[in-house]
């Protein structure tokens, strides 16, 4: 469970087995549809059931990244992009929004009386790796990877 800030030079080579990208409206409904779509594709591509731990992790991570894109990374009238990659050893979720200047904050424990700000703690807990990338002046991508098989398998 590590967080990485990657530049284009440091970005690992990703050779996806499968890849799919869709745009969703920058609304709560768009975030909800992105989560449902990600889980559907995950189960279709991997053959793992909807109620598997891995599918739940994909649902939670996608929901948080999409929700953050809508809440913190969207400009009026702009969509966000969801990219799903099935890699040889993991499933990668990428959410690209239109606010490159708003990078995800460092993950720290929130005071018990705070009503928000815990979402990235969940991403940290459920993703094996996650981070953000800014490749141009108009967008940023926040990504998370979930292992397909438990360690040691």
């Amino acid at each position: 469970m590590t967080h990485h800030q990657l530049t284009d030079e440091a970005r690992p080579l990703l050779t996806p087995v499968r890849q799919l990208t869709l745009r969703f409206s920058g609304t709560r409904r768009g975030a909800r549809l992105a989560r449902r779509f990600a889980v559907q594709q995950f189960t279709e591509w991997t053959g793992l059931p909807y109620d598997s731990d891995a599918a739940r992790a994909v649902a939670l991570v996608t929901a948080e990244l999409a929700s953050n894109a809508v809440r913190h990374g969207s400009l009026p009238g702009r969509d966000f992009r969801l990219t799903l990659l099935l890699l040889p050893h993991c499933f990668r979720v990428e959410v690209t929004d239109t606010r490159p200047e708003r990078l995800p904050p460092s993950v720290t424990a929130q005071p018990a009386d705070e009503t928000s700000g815990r979402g990235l703690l969940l991403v940290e807990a459920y993703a094996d790796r996650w981070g953000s990338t800014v490749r141009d002046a108009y967008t940023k991508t926040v990504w998370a990877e979930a292992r397909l098989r438990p360690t040691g398998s």
Side-chain angles (χ1 to χ4, degrees):
M1 290 179 269
T2 59
H3 174 235
H4 300 277
Q5 297 273 344
L6 295 179
T7 64
D8 283 335
E9 298 81 39
R11 187 171 188 240
L13 278 179
L14 301 175
T15 308
V17 175
R18 294 188 178 186
Q19 179 176 348
L20 187 62
T21 300
L22 288 175
R23 291 173 61 169
F24 291 90
S25 66
T27 62
R28 290 173 47 187
R29 181 173 186 266
R32 186 175 64 250
L33 291 172
R35 176 187 53 82
R36 294 175 101 181
F37 181 76
V39 173
Q40 172 66 35
Q41 281 306 125
F42 174 81
T43 59
E44 185 177 312
W45 286 350
T46 65
L48 294 171
Y50 282 99
D51 62 350
S52 69
D53 288 341
R56 288 186 185 121
V58 167
L60 189 141
V61 165
T62 305
E64 184 56 36
L65 297 185
S67 173
N68 283 349
V70 168
R71 200 164 183 207
H72 305 292
S74 117
L75 293 171
R78 300 295 299 268
D79 297 341
F80 69 91
R81 184 173 63 228
L82 173 71
T83 300
L84 305 174
L85 299 106
L86 179 61
L87 301 168
H89 301 292
C90 68
F91 187 79
R92 183 175 171 116
V93 176
E94 297 180 349
V95 176
T96 302
D97 65 44
T98 55
R99 298 293 299 269
E101 75 282 3
R102 292 184 131 190
L103 294 175
S106 298
V107 176
T108 58
Q110 297 291 321
D113 58 347
E114 289 291 323
T115 58
S116 65
R118 293 185 182 85
L120 290 177
L121 287 171
L122 293 172
V123 172
E124 179 82 18
Y126 283 90
D128 294 304
R129 290 182 347 125
W130 74 278
S132 60
T133 308
V134 176
R135 292 192 188 102
D136 59 43
Y138 308 105
T139 62
K140 79 165 171 301
T141 299
V142 182
W143 54 269
E145 296 176 351
R147 226 182 337 255
L148 296 178
R149 292 171 191 80
T151 305
S153 294

